[in-house]
């Protein structure tokens, strides 16, 4: 979020001075992309946690893996 704000500020400065416009656009683009990817990762993590909440206290890794596969396959 801070990168996006600073990129927009740099874009406004570049508009006045005429220098660094390409870098400011790259900063805004990459910051916005990072925010979108982070949001998608959070949604995916929340979905996964919701669908596998019964598997959170396994006795072993293989039992956890089996439980997760069963939950995601719908068995």
């Amino acid at each position: 979020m801070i990168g996006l704000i600073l990129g927009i500020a740099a874009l406004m400065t570049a508009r006045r001075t005429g220098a660094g416009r390409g870098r400011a656009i790259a900063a805004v683009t990459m910051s916005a992309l990072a925010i979108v990817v982070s949001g998608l990762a959070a949604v995916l993590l929340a979905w996964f946690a919701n669908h596998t909440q019964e598997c959170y206290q396994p006795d072993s890794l293989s039992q956890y893996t089996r439980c997760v596969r069963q939950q995601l396959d719908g068995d």
Side-chain angles (χ1 to χ4, degrees):
M1 188 71 171
I2 293 173
L4 184 63
I5 293 168
L6 291 176
I8 292 171
L11 192 57
M12 291 171 35
T13 301
R15 204 175 278 168
R16 279 186 278 126
T17 63
R21 186 169 192 275
R23 287 185 183 182
I25 291 173
V28 170
T29 304
M30 295 305 290
S31 295
L33 183 63
I35 291 170
V36 169
V37 169
S38 297
L40 289 175
V43 168
L44 180 63
L45 183 62
W47 175 85
F48 181 80
N50 187 42
H51 281 81
T52 61
Q53 60 187 330
E54 294 178 10
C55 304
Y56 287 151
Q57 295 182 347
D59 294 330
S60 68
L61 181 59
S62 62
Q63 184 182 11
Y64 171 76
T65 304
R66 191 175 329 109
C67 180
V68 168
R69 284 185 183 150
Q70 288 173 349
Q71 293 298 319
L72 294 180
D73 289 340
D75 293 343

